[in-house]
Amino acid sequence: AAQNNQPYALWRLGRGEYLTCQLLGACEHKNKKLVEKAKEIWRQRAAQGDSEAMYQVGVRALGWKQWIPYYNLYSRSEWMKKAIQHGYLEAAEDLYYMLEDLGSNEQEKITWLRIAAEKGDPWAQNMMSKFADSREERLAWNQKAVEQRYSEAIYSLAFSYKNGRDVEKDLNKAAFYY
């Protein structure tokens, strides 16, 4: 994979993060050039609109910015936002917790959750069910995540039926979802 310029493989190989190296301490293939090549590929792909590459730049390829704590979080959160806007919804959870660490207001976190939830991310949909103002909206978001078989949402729905939270108490439905 690394020979075919797959950036994640280059990253792992370059950092010596593979089973033999980790178990035996034999990291002779560890090579900073491979890590830099992976970062460059991610940057190029991000510039071309690749949402997963945007995420990877935010997670791994910030360069000198990674050494400045607040700036690192801010920079990473901006990359997560770009990734979400371009459809890489897996960035939603990372962004949510980064915004929390940055001390962002609740509304900004909810705005980005809503964007990811509307694009179909089950984690974000489940989170939106916790922040929604009305019973109907909570159930609607929860149901969207349940339809995608998101386990936390299914558990939440079972809990709701068991305790009569937002729905009429129904132990049969609770047992079904549990």
Side-chain angles (χ1 to χ4, degrees), residues 51-62 72-99 112 115-116:
S51 62
E52 183 179 358
M54 291 172 189
Y55 173 79
Q56 295 296 341
V57 168
V59 170
R60 304 174 198 287
L62 290 177
N72 179 14
L73 268 179
Y74 176 77
S75 241
R76 292 175 84 180
S77 69
E78 291 303 306
W79 279 107
M80 296 301 116
K81 290 175 185 177
K82 288 178 187 178
I84 292 168
Q85 288 172 327
H86 285 83
Y88 193 75
L89 304 179
E90 291 85 346
E93 186 172 357
D94 289 327
L95 177 61
Y96 178 83
Y97 292 112
M98 283 178 198
L99 291 175
W112 284 100
I115 290 168

Side-chain angles (χ1 to χ4, degrees), residues 43-133:
R43 285 187 202 104
Q44 288 171 354
R45 290 181 182 175
Q48 295 168 351
D50 182 324
S51 62
E52 183 179 358
M54 291 172 189
Y55 173 79
Q56 295 296 341
V57 168
V59 170
R60 304 174 198 287
L62 290 177
W64 63 269
K65 297 173 189 173
Q66 67 185 327
W67 303 111
I68 305 172
Y70 181 82
Y71 190 76
N72 179 14
L73 268 179
Y74 176 77
S75 241
R76 292 175 84 180
S77 69
E78 291 303 306
W79 279 107
M80 296 301 116
K81 290 175 185 177
K82 288 178 187 178
I84 292 168
Q85 288 172 327
H86 285 83
Y88 193 75
L89 304 179
E90 291 85 346
E93 186 172 357
D94 289 327
L95 177 61
Y96 178 83
Y97 292 112
M98 283 178 198
L99 291 175
E100 208 165 74
D101 289 345
L102 286 168
S104 295
N105 64 42
E106 207 63 21
Q107 192 54 49
E108 183 179 12
K109 290 187 279 188
I110 291 171
T111 296
W112 284 100
L113 278 177
R114 183 176 300 280
I115 290 168
E118 287 172 352
K119 289 181 179 242
D121 181 64
W123 180 85
Q125 291 167 340
N126 189 53
M127 290 295 287
M128 283 301 296
S129 74
K130 296 173 184 177
F131 288 110
D133 294 326

Side-chain angles (χ1 to χ4, degrees), residues 32-48:
K32 196 168 186 154
K33 289 179 185 176
L34 295 176
V35 171
E36 291 306 315
K37 187 173 183 180
K39 289 179 183 180
E40 184 55 35
I41 291 170
W42 280 321
R43 285 187 202 104
Q44 288 171 354
R45 290 181 182 175
Q48 295 168 351

Side-chain angles (χ1 to χ4, degrees), residues 100-169:
E100 208 165 74
D101 289 345
L102 286 168
S104 295
N105 64 42
E106 207 63 21
Q107 192 54 49
E108 183 179 12
K109 290 187 279 188
I110 291 171
T111 296
W112 284 100
L113 278 177
R114 183 176 300 280
I115 290 168
E118 287 172 352
K119 289 181 179 242
D121 181 64
W123 180 85
Q125 291 167 340
N126 189 53
M127 290 295 287
M128 283 301 296
S129 74
K130 296 173 184 177
F131 288 110
D133 294 326
S134 71
R135 170 186 170 274
E136 292 79 16
E137 188 181 3
R138 281 192 296 274
L139 286 172
W141 283 121
N142 183 256
Q143 192 59 42
K144 287 180 184 208
V146 167
E147 288 168 5
Q148 295 187 63
R149 298 175 187 237
Y150 187 68
S151 60
E152 288 182 39
I154 296 168
Y155 179 83
S156 178
L157 187 57
F159 183 85
S160 293
Y161 277 116
K162 177 184 171 217
N163 296 297
R165 190 190 77 201
D166 290 336
V167 294
E168 191 170 316
K169 187 173 182 172

